[in-house]
Amino acid sequence: SIRAKTITSHGMMNVMVSEGETREVYRYVANQIEKQDVLWSGIEEYMHITKEDSARAKDYIKSHQAAIAADNLKGQCTKGHSCKHSTQEVLQNLAQK
């Protein structure tokens, strides 16, 4: 299955690295980028999800970023759920954009 990771997903903010980045922490990402064509052909063949479908989903998530953050804020930052103050601040800022 394919999951959409939004910026409210743990560790997804600022994931993009600059081209040519060679630090060890980004080697896994660089390896995945090299394999994208193979991965996409398999996804299209077996799951019938095209790059264009994925791009539309990405655009939808980006255009609804504030609503996603607001919903996440309501769900995570309530009594009985773990919500760090720093996480709450980030979600509040995103929800206001």
Side-chain angles (χ1 to χ4, degrees), residues 20-22 26-40:
E21 187 74 59
T22 57
Y26 296 117
R27 288 183 198 260
Y28 176 78
V29 173
N31 188 35
Q32 290 300 310
I33 290 170
E34 291 174 11
K35 295 179 181 180
Q36 279 187 355
D37 287 338
V38 173
L39 295 171
W40 274 114

Side-chain angles (χ1 to χ4, degrees), residues 3 9 16 18-19 23 32 36 43 47 64 68 86:
R3 286 183 68 193
S9 300
M16 295 305 294
S18 52
E19 191 172 330
R23 286 185 283 169
Q32 290 300 310
Q36 279 187 355
I43 289 169
M47 304 175 98
H64 291 84
I68 291 168
S86 59

